[in-house]
Amino acid sequence: MASSIIQRIGAATSFDTNNNYFHRRSFSGRQSSFVVVRSDGANITTRLKPNGGRTHHLVTNAVATKPHTSAASKPGHEILLFDALREGLEEEMDRDPRVCIMGEDVGHYGGSYKVTKGLAPKYGDLRVLDTPIAENAFTGMGIGAAMTGLRPIIEGMNMGFLLLAFNQISNNCGMLHYTSGGQFKIPVVIRGPGGVGRQLGAEHSQRLESYFQSIPGIQMVACSTPYNAKGLMKAAIRSDNPVILFEHVLLYNLKETIPDEEYVLNLEEAEMVRPGQHVTILTYSRMRYHVMQAAKTLVNKGYDPEVIDIRSLKPFDLHTIGNSVKKTHRVLIVEECMRTGGIGASLTAAINENFHDYLDAPIVCLSSQDVPTPYAGTLEEWTVVQPPQIVAAVEQLCQ
């Protein structure tokens, strides 16, 4: 019965190879090479054959990432993602007394995922405000506070609950700057956990990116690492625009070393995760790790994927994305959002509109199934894109 409800990989990755798509540049007319980095430090150069095929050179112990210069030499500290979010909150609350937090259990309980743990004793109940279970009310209160000069952070205990505040987020948060003729700014951050966890059920597995992307006047970003979680949090708090920060429930315990010194990221900038030559893979949030897992297999198969964490869900960083498309000429989008009307659909439209002439194949988008997320663990996995599907899609794209 499950197989009749949930589509298999073939339906998710197939596209018509006999369509009337305009191939302005044939892949067979290009010849390139790339370096595969092995875990033992050795480099192996793999070349594309002139006919578009690949040398069948298997690289053992291949890793997904290429060598790059990082800030590893700078002083840093290891931190979990939820602690990185709290560190960003605390630094901004120290820096600016106008910054405040409100939401259910954000105070003395420390938040449903402990992002605000320890902040209430330090800053007091007026700056870390516990609210009743009334999303529409306290979201509206936060927007009103922003209108009067404060910089509130509104936490949804679960992003799905913020559907109860959709009117406030849409009609007020997104539009008041315009409808007031610029008299009011709405420097508010709306954040909270979302995404498909592990058997949390349909109502607690919401991915609301597709809901909020159509609201004018709102920016959306999604964090995927402790480093960008902290940097995006600080940038969102400092922005004069309303920002929705999407956090994934399965990434809170992700650990990474981040710099000791202060840093703030750009809210409209994508992150180049892995440079490559053969195909551009665009992803964000938890799917970044499914993509990187698939990348290891792809490297062993002779492919060189370029992986970009788009991070900014609205607006898209079309500069970074466009430069990648011009280089690889093939695009795969991997998202956890629903297929119908999701981020992938908007991203596909944007790429086709701006970079159609650079594409040598139709864009492929792998998304979650358009079904309520099942509670059963095995069925839950079927609804979300898995690494083998990503590998199959890249192989089909690069034929």
Side-chain angles (χ1 to χ4, degrees):
M1 181 176 180
S3 61
S4 66
I5 298 176
I6 303 172
Q7 300 173 1
R8 291 185 175 273
I9 174 176
T13 61
S14 63
F15 54 83
D16 184 7
T17 57
N18 297 317
N19 59 17
N20 296 320
Y21 201 85
F22 293 100
H23 292 259
R24 300 297 178 88
R25 295 169 195 74
S26 172
F27 190 76
S28 61
R30 292 189 297 270
Q31 183 174 2
S32 61
S33 63
F34 63 95
V35 177
V36 173
V37 184
R38 299 195 328 197
S39 57
D40 58 7
N43 293 340
I44 295 178
T45 301
T46 302
R47 293 188 179 276
L48 290 176
K49 294 179 180 178
N51 63 1
R54 289 176 179 76
T55 56
H56 299 286
H57 186 90
L58 181 65
V59 182
T60 59
N61 298 322
V63 295
T65 55
K66 290 186 175 182
H68 59 88
T69 56
S70 65
S73 58
K74 297 182 180 179
H77 56 284
E78 198 172 50
I79 195 170
L80 298 173
L81 190 144
F82 76 90
D83 284 324
L85 289 167
R86 180 173 63 246
E87 198 170 270
L89 283 170
E90 191 167 8
E91 288 181 9
E92 291 306 300
M93 293 183 79
D94 285 340
R95 186 187 66 87
D96 189 343
R98 298 174 298 171
V99 178
C100 57
I101 303 170
M102 59 186 67
E104 299 150 349
D105 286 337
V106 298
H108 296 280
Y109 183 73
S112 57
Y113 287 87
K114 301 305 178 185
V115 172
T116 56
K117 183 179 179 180
L119 298 184
K122 181 176 181 180
Y123 298 105
D125 292 340
L126 289 180
R127 293 189 67 189
V128 186
L129 179 63
D130 276 321
T131 66
I133 303 175
E135 284 79 7
N136 191 57
F138 68 72
T139 301
M141 181 174 66
I143 295 168
M147 293 172 64
T148 63
L150 297 180
R151 307 187 82 86
I153 298 107
I154 301 169
E155 177 182 310
M157 182 180 287
N158 181 280
M159 291 300 273
F161 302 161
L162 290 178
L163 290 175
L164 296 167
F166 194 86
N167 176 64
Q168 290 288 357
I169 296 171
S170 175
N171 286 328
N172 294 325
C173 187
M175 300 184 187
L176 270 172
H177 180 68
Y178 172 78
T179 57
S180 69
Q183 295 181 73
F184 294 112
K185 294 180 180 178
I186 316 295
V188 63
V189 179
I190 300 173
R191 52 154 296 269
V196 178
R198 288 191 176 91
Q199 295 184 267
L200 298 179
E203 293 183 3
H204 289 70
S205 300
Q206 295 276 36
R207 290 135 288 178
L208 298 186
E209 305 97 292
S210 60
Y211 289 72
F212 293 130
Q213 68 171 328
S214 60
I215 301 174
I218 286 181
Q219 289 185 265
M220 303 196 314
V221 291
C223 61
S224 55
T225 68
Y227 177 81
N228 65 41
K230 179 180 177 180
L232 291 173
M233 173 68 83
K234 291 172 68 69
I237 294 172
R238 297 186 188 190
S239 174
D240 284 336
N241 298 317
V243 179
I244 301 179
L245 173 59
F246 291 95
E247 303 156 15
H248 200 287
V249 291
L250 293 183
L251 298 183
Y252 278 127
N253 287 323
L254 192 70
K255 185 178 289 187
E256 183 185 31
T257 299
I258 67 173
D260 290 335
E261 61 186 25
E262 184 182 44
Y263 65 93
V264 180
L265 297 182
N266 190 329
L267 287 176
E268 301 178 11
E269 189 174 71
E271 177 186 352
M272 178 65 68
V273 181
R274 183 193 189 279
Q277 295 290 331
H278 295 162
V279 59
T280 297
I281 305 180
L282 304 174
T283 189
Y284 65 93
S285 191
R286 175 199 178 193
M287 285 296 111
R288 168 175 173 157
Y289 298 95
H290 282 207
V291 168
M292 294 308 290
Q293 185 178 340
K296 296 179 182 180
T297 303
L298 289 168
V299 167
N300 270 331
K301 288 176 174 284
Y303 297 94
D304 186 24
E306 178 152 293
V307 179
I308 295 176
D309 184 343
I310 62 173
R311 287 197 314 207
S312 176
L313 309 184
K314 185 181 180 181
F316 297 129
D317 179 3
L318 291 180
H319 175 75
T320 300
I321 294 170
N323 285 338
S324 180
V325 173
K326 292 174 184 178
K327 177 172 62 172
T328 68
H329 307 279
R330 283 168 167 77
V331 177
L332 171 65
I333 301 170
V334 182
E335 63 176 347
E336 193 179 287
C337 195
M338 297 299 184
R339 183 171 187 82
T340 302
I343 296 297
S346 298
L347 193 52
T348 298
I351 295 171
N352 278 325
E353 182 178 348
N354 292 280
F355 310 109
H356 176 270
D357 286 348
Y358 295 93
L359 294 171
D360 284 350
I363 298 170
V364 176
C365 181
L366 299 181
S367 310
S368 292
Q369 304 296 332
D370 285 333
V371 297
T373 303
Y375 174 77
T378 51
L379 293 180
E380 183 182 66
E381 287 188 5
W382 272 109
T383 67
V384 178
V385 179
Q386 300 298 327
Q389 292 174 265
I390 301 169
V391 173
V394 170
E395 289 178 324
Q396 191 170 6
L397 259 175
C398 295
Q399 284 179 354

